[in-house]
Amino acid sequence: MESHPLLDFPQFSLVPQTPQIIALMTILRDRTTQRSDFVFYSDRLFRILMEEGLAYLPFSKKAIITPTEVPVDGLEFGTKLCGVSIIRAGESMENALRQVLPHVRIGKILIQRKEDGSGTCQHFYTKIPKDISHRNVLLLDPMLATGGSAICAIGELLKNGVLEQNILFLNMVAVPEGVKAVLSAYPKIKIVSVALDEGLNEKKYIVPGIGDFGDRYFGTE
Ligand code: PRP
Ligand code: URA
């Protein structure tokens, strides 16, 4: 993706589209990729996405002295964090989050999008840290298609006192209509994606896409 009007939008960012990222995405996009490889390369991309996503969080100044006795004005994370995964597919991103933040608290929201192509979703369950209103939230879901699931999940977070500007939504593949739908509903959140695809087919699947992420990752095709 060399240029797209969304890329000028400050609330939306793509992981830098290096040949390595394109090569990893090509493995995921290939319908002949076996499940073990799909899981392995998804996990690699999630780790990269986590590192990229953390760069958008607030930092504060930290002065230290190096072993060579030189003072350095450095930085440290300036905020309390937590992850919230949208069950089921979002749970596949939790390990990558723990690899970069070993003690991170992780909440869950269960939302199922209807498979009838309507783009509508149903919310079943929310379990999140009690002090979530004081935290920056990394919302995890690999696919941003119509945006219905994300809009529902963000609504749950706001109901529980999270500030809109404290939500960072991390995903693997997004489409412009999904990004626009989420940012129209919640213009202060930030979205970081690995890939921005063309659009949705008649069943509201992302094209070219990677198919049903949850089914391929968890082996339920
Ligand atoms: C997938 C995906 C997102 C949602 C995206 O979940 O993980 O949650 O679809 O689509 P949307 O932007 O149109 O809402 P799905 O409901 O298929 O469940 P799964 O996690 O069990 O695969
Ligand atoms: N969810 C998926 O897993 N894939 C899509 O293409 C759209 C929603």
Side-chain angles (χ1 to χ4, degrees):
M1 172 77 38
E2 281 163 18
S3 71
H4 189 284
L6 268 184
L7 298 177
D8 298 328
F9 210 75
Q11 299 309 106
F12 176 72
S13 300
L14 269 186
V15 167
Q17 301 293 289
T18 60
Q20 183 200 14
I21 295 292
I22 310 275
L24 292 171
M25 280 304 303
T26 304
I27 295 170
L28 299 193
R29 291 186 191 285
D30 186 343
R31 66 179 179 184
T32 69
T33 296
Q34 297 297 303
R35 180 170 165 231
S36 56
D37 280 341
F38 189 84
V39 170
F40 180 82
Y41 291 105
S42 293
D43 290 348
R44 271 189 66 186
L45 276 166
F46 285 146
R47 176 74 191 258
I48 294 167
L49 176 62
M50 293 305 152
E51 296 288 1
E52 182 72 18
L54 292 184
Y56 291 93
L57 293 171
F59 290 82
S60 50
K61 289 185 178 165
K62 179 169 186 174
I64 51 99
I65 299 178
T66 71
T68 52
E69 296 180 9
V70 181
V72 170
D73 292 327
L75 293 174
E76 64 179 350
F77 276 118
T79 173
K80 280 164 83 174
L81 299 174
C82 80
V84 172
S85 62
I86 301 181
I87 304 172
R88 153 191 74 158
E91 293 176 299
S92 63
M93 302 168 76
E94 292 175 4
N95 277 345
L97 180 62
R98 283 201 199 89
Q99 282 168 5
V100 295
L101 298 170
H103 306 296
V104 70
R105 288 162 197 244
I106 299 182
K108 311 248 183 190
I109 299 180
L110 173 53
I111 290 163
Q112 210 64 46
R113 79 171 199 153
K114 297 212 173 110
E115 301 261 319
D116 57 5
S118 63
T120 55
C121 305
Q122 210 175 345
H123 168 259
F124 293 97
Y125 170 85
T126 296
K127 188 81 183 172
I128 49 183
K130 289 196 172 53
D131 63 349
I132 196 163
S133 60
H134 302 295
R135 293 177 183 269
N136 275 61
V137 176
L138 300 161
L139 181 63
L140 311 176
D141 191 332
M143 306 303 279
L144 172 47
T146 63
S149 305
I151 288 171
C152 181
I154 294 164
E156 278 297 301
L157 293 176
L158 298 193
K159 253 195 256 167
N160 284 277
V162 178
L163 297 178
E164 195 179 316
Q165 61 269 26
N166 287 352
I167 298 173
L168 176 62
F169 179 29
L170 301 177
N171 53 74
M172 181 87 83
V173 187
V175 291
E177 65 183 271
V179 174
K180 284 181 201 154
V182 174
L183 290 180
S184 301
Y186 300 112
K188 293 187 200 149
I189 74 152
K190 171 95 187 143
I191 301 174
V192 182
S193 305
V194 176
L196 182 63
D197 276 15
E198 282 162 33
L200 300 175
N201 67 15
E202 67 288 350
K203 291 184 171 165
K204 307 288 184 202
Y205 272 82
I206 295 174
V207 284
I210 53 180
D212 189 306
F213 184 92
D215 281 348
R216 292 186 75 192
Y217 193 94
F218 293 110
T220 51
E221 306 98 317

